[in-house]
PDB file of all heavy atoms in Angstrom:
ATOM      1  N   ARG N 318    -116.058  13.994 -76.582  1.00  0.00           N
ATOM      2  CA  ARG N 318    -114.993  13.588 -77.474  1.00  0.00           C
ATOM      3  C   ARG N 318    -115.323  12.297 -78.226  1.00  0.00           C
ATOM      4  O   ARG N 318    -115.245  12.159 -79.418  1.00  0.00           O
ATOM      5  CB  ARG N 318    -113.733  13.379 -76.586  1.00  0.00           C
ATOM      6  CG  ARG N 318    -112.507  13.375 -77.363  1.00  0.00           C
ATOM      7  CD  ARG N 318    -111.289  13.690 -76.544  1.00  0.00           C
ATOM      8  NE  ARG N 318    -110.806  15.065 -76.867  1.00  0.00           N
ATOM      9  CZ  ARG N 318    -109.520  15.493 -76.658  1.00  0.00           C
ATOM     10  NH1 ARG N 318    -108.720  14.644 -75.964  1.00  0.00           N
ATOM     11  NH2 ARG N 318    -109.172  16.619 -76.982  1.00  0.00           N
ATOM     12  N   ARG N 339    -125.101   8.390-107.609  1.00  0.00           N
ATOM     13  CA  ARG N 339    -124.498   8.671-108.966  1.00  0.00           C
ATOM     14  C   ARG N 339    -124.181   7.394-109.701  1.00  0.00           C
ATOM     15  O   ARG N 339    -123.814   7.459-110.819  1.00  0.00           O
ATOM     16  CB  ARG N 339    -123.236   9.431-108.796  1.00  0.00           C
ATOM     17  CG  ARG N 339    -123.325  10.880-108.350  1.00  0.00           C
ATOM     18  CD  ARG N 339    -124.109  11.759-109.289  1.00  0.00           C
ATOM     19  NE  ARG N 339    -123.388  11.959-110.594  1.00  0.00           N
ATOM     20  CZ  ARG N 339    -123.974  11.713-111.770  1.00  0.00           C
ATOM     21  NH1 ARG N 339    -125.095  11.161-111.949  1.00  0.00           N
ATOM     22  NH2 ARG N 339    -123.249  11.944-112.863  1.00  0.00           N
ATOM     23  N   ASN N 346    -130.513   2.022-103.661  1.00  0.00           N
ATOM     24  CA  ASN N 346    -131.569   1.400-102.874  1.00  0.00           C
ATOM     25  C   ASN N 346    -131.098   0.191-102.095  1.00  0.00           C
ATOM     26  O   ASN N 346    -131.565  -0.055-101.049  1.00  0.00           O
ATOM     27  CB  ASN N 346    -132.819   1.118-103.781  1.00  0.00           C
ATOM     28  CG  ASN N 346    -133.491   2.400-104.331  1.00  0.00           C
ATOM     29  OD1 ASN N 346    -133.224   3.457-103.762  1.00  0.00           O
ATOM     30  ND2 ASN N 346    -134.266   2.233-105.337  1.00  0.00           N
ATOM     31  N   LYS N 353    -132.480  -0.107 -93.045  1.00  0.00           N
ATOM     32  CA  LYS N 353    -133.762  -0.475 -92.523  1.00  0.00           C
ATOM     33  C   LYS N 353    -133.845  -1.790 -91.760  1.00  0.00           C
ATOM     34  O   LYS N 353    -134.806  -2.236 -91.174  1.00  0.00           O
ATOM     35  CB  LYS N 353    -134.721  -0.481 -93.705  1.00  0.00           C
ATOM     36  CG  LYS N 353    -134.712   0.819 -94.512  1.00  0.00           C
ATOM     37  CD  LYS N 353    -135.587   0.744 -95.762  1.00  0.00           C
ATOM     38  CE  LYS N 353    -135.324   2.007 -96.621  1.00  0.00           C
ATOM     39  NZ  LYS N 353    -136.093   2.024 -97.896  1.00  0.00           N
ATOM     40  N   ASP N 382    -118.796  29.427 -72.270  1.00  0.00           N
ATOM     41  CA  ASP N 382    -117.662  30.273 -72.799  1.00  0.00           C
ATOM     42  C   ASP N 382    -118.133  31.726 -73.071  1.00  0.00           C
ATOM     43  O   ASP N 382    -117.351  32.676 -72.875  1.00  0.00           O
ATOM     44  CB  ASP N 382    -117.121  29.714 -74.069  1.00  0.00           C
ATOM     45  CG  ASP N 382    -116.175  28.461 -73.847  1.00  0.00           C
ATOM     46  OD1 ASP N 382    -115.735  28.377 -72.712  1.00  0.00           O
ATOM     47  OD2 ASP N 382    -116.022  27.697 -74.748  1.00  0.00           O
ATOM     48  N   ARG N 412    -140.738   6.589 -82.508  1.00  0.00           N
ATOM     49  CA  ARG N 412    -141.088   6.714 -83.974  1.00  0.00           C
ATOM     50  C   ARG N 412    -140.144   5.866 -84.788  1.00  0.00           C
ATOM     51  O   ARG N 412    -140.548   5.077 -85.669  1.00  0.00           O
ATOM     52  CB  ARG N 412    -140.988   8.153 -84.375  1.00  0.00           C
ATOM     53  CG  ARG N 412    -141.521   8.377 -85.830  1.00  0.00           C
ATOM     54  CD  ARG N 412    -142.244   9.620 -85.945  1.00  0.00           C
ATOM     55  NE  ARG N 412    -142.620   9.825 -87.362  1.00  0.00           N
ATOM     56  CZ  ARG N 412    -143.791   9.338 -87.991  1.00  0.00           C
ATOM     57  NH1 ARG N 412    -144.596   8.597 -87.217  1.00  0.00           N
ATOM     58  NH2 ARG N 412    -144.061   9.515 -89.241  1.00  0.00           N
TER      59      ARG N 412
ATOM     60  N   ARG R  63    -117.117  26.605 -82.371  1.00  0.00           N
ATOM     61  CA  ARG R  63    -118.390  27.138 -81.681  1.00  0.00           C
ATOM     62  C   ARG R  63    -119.354  27.708 -82.719  1.00  0.00           C
ATOM     63  O   ARG R  63    -120.587  27.359 -82.662  1.00  0.00           O
ATOM     64  CB  ARG R  63    -118.005  28.126 -80.622  1.00  0.00           C
ATOM     65  CG  ARG R  63    -117.543  27.483 -79.413  1.00  0.00           C
ATOM     66  CD  ARG R  63    -116.423  28.145 -78.565  1.00  0.00           C
ATOM     67  NE  ARG R  63    -116.068  27.258 -77.523  1.00  0.00           N
ATOM     68  CZ  ARG R  63    -115.251  26.208 -77.642  1.00  0.00           C
ATOM     69  NH1 ARG R  63    -114.680  25.947 -78.802  1.00  0.00           N
ATOM     70  NH2 ARG R  63    -114.926  25.399 -76.602  1.00  0.00           N
ATOM     71  N   MET R  82    -138.180  11.415 -88.997  1.00  0.00           N
ATOM     72  CA  MET R  82    -139.409  11.577 -88.245  1.00  0.00           C
ATOM     73  C   MET R  82    -140.575  11.762 -89.207  1.00  0.00           C
ATOM     74  O   MET R  82    -141.672  11.205 -88.989  1.00  0.00           O
ATOM     75  CB  MET R  82    -139.293  12.771 -87.315  1.00  0.00           C
ATOM     76  CG  MET R  82    -138.225  12.583 -86.239  1.00  0.00           C
ATOM     77  SD  MET R  82    -138.670  11.344 -85.057  1.00  0.00           S
ATOM     78  CE  MET R  82    -139.822  12.238 -83.909  1.00  0.00           C
ATOM     79  N   GLY R  84    -143.199  11.689 -92.461  1.00  0.00           N
ATOM     80  CA  GLY R  84    -143.642  10.649 -93.400  1.00  0.00           C
ATOM     81  C   GLY R  84    -143.320   9.239 -92.950  1.00  0.00           C
ATOM     82  O   GLY R  84    -143.533   8.910 -91.766  1.00  0.00           O
ATOM     83  N   LEU R  90    -136.880   5.977 -97.268  1.00  0.00           N
ATOM     84  CA  LEU R  90    -135.744   6.515 -97.929  1.00  0.00           C
ATOM     85  C   LEU R  90    -135.327   5.598 -99.114  1.00  0.00           C
ATOM     86  O   LEU R  90    -135.127   4.409 -98.970  1.00  0.00           O
ATOM     87  CB  LEU R  90    -134.571   6.503 -96.929  1.00  0.00           C
ATOM     88  CG  LEU R  90    -134.783   7.382 -95.639  1.00  0.00           C
ATOM     89  CD1 LEU R  90    -133.455   7.481 -94.860  1.00  0.00           C
ATOM     90  CD2 LEU R  90    -135.219   8.781 -96.051  1.00  0.00           C
ATOM     91  N   PHE R  92    -133.926   6.123-103.666  1.00  0.00           N
ATOM     92  CA  PHE R  92    -133.446   6.980-104.738  1.00  0.00           C
ATOM     93  C   PHE R  92    -134.456   8.030-105.022  1.00  0.00           C
ATOM     94  O   PHE R  92    -134.136   9.318-105.117  1.00  0.00           O
ATOM     95  CB  PHE R  92    -133.189   6.241-106.013  1.00  0.00           C
ATOM     96  CG  PHE R  92    -132.509   7.070-107.081  1.00  0.00           C
ATOM     97  CD1 PHE R  92    -131.170   7.172-107.196  1.00  0.00           C
ATOM     98  CD2 PHE R  92    -133.369   7.608-108.022  1.00  0.00           C
ATOM     99  CE1 PHE R  92    -130.620   7.959-108.148  1.00  0.00           C
ATOM    100  CE2 PHE R  92    -132.780   8.346-109.035  1.00  0.00           C
ATOM    101  CZ  PHE R  92    -131.409   8.568-109.122  1.00  0.00           C
ATOM    102  N   ASP R 129    -103.544  15.819 -78.972  1.00  0.00           N
ATOM    103  CA  ASP R 129    -103.591  15.409 -77.502  1.00  0.00           C
ATOM    104  C   ASP R 129    -102.984  14.063 -77.297  1.00  0.00           C
ATOM    105  O   ASP R 129    -102.365  13.831 -76.206  1.00  0.00           O
ATOM    106  CB  ASP R 129    -105.068  15.448 -77.073  1.00  0.00           C
ATOM    107  CG  ASP R 129    -105.550  16.770 -76.617  1.00  0.00           C
ATOM    108  OD1 ASP R 129    -104.747  17.714 -76.729  1.00  0.00           O
ATOM    109  OD2 ASP R 129    -106.661  16.881 -76.212  1.00  0.00           O
ATOM    110  N   THR R 161    -123.976  17.055-109.369  1.00  0.00           N
ATOM    111  CA  THR R 161    -124.029  16.293-110.635  1.00  0.00           C
ATOM    112  C   THR R 161    -125.150  15.277-110.541  1.00  0.00           C
ATOM    113  O   THR R 161    -125.286  14.532-111.440  1.00  0.00           O
ATOM    114  CB  THR R 161    -122.771  15.660-110.966  1.00  0.00           C
ATOM    115  OG1 THR R 161    -122.517  14.552-110.040  1.00  0.00           O
ATOM    116  CG2 THR R 161    -121.592  16.657-111.033  1.00  0.00           C
TER     117      THR R 161
END
Side-chain angles (χ1 to χ4, degrees):
Chain N
R318 198 157 252 202
R339 287 300 290 127
N346 290 346
K353 304 173 188 179
D382 287 337
R412 186 143 177 86
Chain R
R63 279 144 187 81
M82 296 290 280
L90 302 187
F92 186 88
D129 274 3
T161 66

